[in-house]
Each structure stands twice: as C-alpha cells, then as structure tokens.
Amino acid sequence: MLADTALMVQDETIKPQGCGPAFQTVMEPDFLAVRNTSLKIDNHLAAHQLPADDHQNCSIALTEALNNIVEHGFANLDSGEIRIALTVGVTTIRAVLTDDGRAMPGFQLPEGAAPDPIDLPEGGFGWFMIKSLSRSQTYERCGEMNVLTLEFSRGPAK
C-alpha cells in the first residue's frame, strides 16, 4: 500500500515569471499522501535555506491544513484530489491548497480561537495553530472547489 500511495503523489517544479522556483503537486486525499507530500514540501523549503522559524512555521501549518482537508473535507468520500502550489518569494511564502472535497462549514474559515487547555480536548488546536503560524489566511469556494491560501513571512536566507 505504501508504494501505491507514493505513486499517487505527483509533483513538478516550475518557474513562474519573476519568482523563484515554485513547488506544485497533486495528491490523493489520504493521510499517507499527506505524510509523503509534507516531506516533499519540507525538502523544497530546505532548498531555499530559509531561517529555521520560517521553514518550521510553514511546514507545520501546511501539514496541519492538509490533515484537516483529508479528515474533514474528504470524510466518507470515495475519491478526490488536493493540489498544492507553493511559492517562496523574497519576503513571503505563499501556499495555495485547492481541493474538491466538502466546503468549509458556512463557506468560511473556522474562528481558530485557542481551546481551553483545562478541558484537555483531543482536537481543536489545528486552526488556532495554522492562524498563529501564518501571516494571512483566505478561503473561498469556487464552484465545486475549495481554495485555501496561506501566506507566511520570510526572512533572509541563512
């Protein structure tokens, strides 16, 4: 199964005009594909020699967002795909995640407030973490597609 899922993740590097190389990939909505894609994203970010905090913030938030898409957007669905486009600019890292899963409730991002740690909830920290680690977040439903854009601050290369 591991080999089968690894084949389901396709990626390529493109060079948009006026930017450095961008990372693009298409993955199936399952947790093993999230793991494999997260490793590829991490390698792409490492190639840019980002400051450690910028690299880690982006990597953690994108992995959490992908896990949320799989867990909530594709629960009990038989098929679908998630597309990731990641551009590392001079001052900004921009990720656009597009999927054909279920829409966000109310067609908007969750509030992302910190859950009360006294309640010791198992979940509920994901959107708080994503919003804390990224500079901006936008969501829109375009036809049958979800489009989540996350932007992160980027400092100078090491």
Side-chain angles (χ1 to χ4, degrees), residues 68 104-116 124-134 136-139 148 150:
N68 281 347
M104 290 268 200
F107 299 99
Q108 61 187 8
L109 290 173
E111 181 183 329
D116 185 352
F125 290 93
W127 274 104
F128 171 73
M129 184 170 52
I130 292 168
K131 287 186 172 191
S132 297
L133 296 174
S134 58
S136 69
Q137 319 81 31
T138 59
Y139 168 79
L148 173 64
L150 301 175

Side-chain angles (χ1 to χ4, degrees), residues 29-116:
D30 66 60
F31 294 110
L32 187 55
V34 169
R35 181 176 183 271
N36 292 335
T37 301
S38 293
L39 291 171
K40 291 179 179 194
I41 290 169
D42 197 53
N43 288 337
H44 181 75
L45 294 171
H48 286 277
Q49 300 181 338
L50 301 170
D53 286 349
D54 297 345
H55 181 145
Q56 292 168 358
N57 289 348
C58 185
S59 184
I60 291 167
L62 288 177
T63 299
E64 180 62 26
L66 290 170
N67 276 315
N68 281 347
I69 292 168
V70 170
E71 181 178 0
H72 302 291
F74 287 96
N76 301 317
L77 294 180
D78 293 332
S79 65
E81 69 178 25
I82 303 168
R83 294 180 175 274
I84 300 107
L86 179 65
T87 305
V88 179
V90 176
T91 60
T92 301
I93 303 166
R94 185 170 194 251
V96 180
L97 310 178
T98 308
D99 70 82
D100 58 353
R102 288 183 192 82
M104 290 268 200
F107 299 99
Q108 61 187 8
L109 290 173
E111 181 183 329
D116 185 352

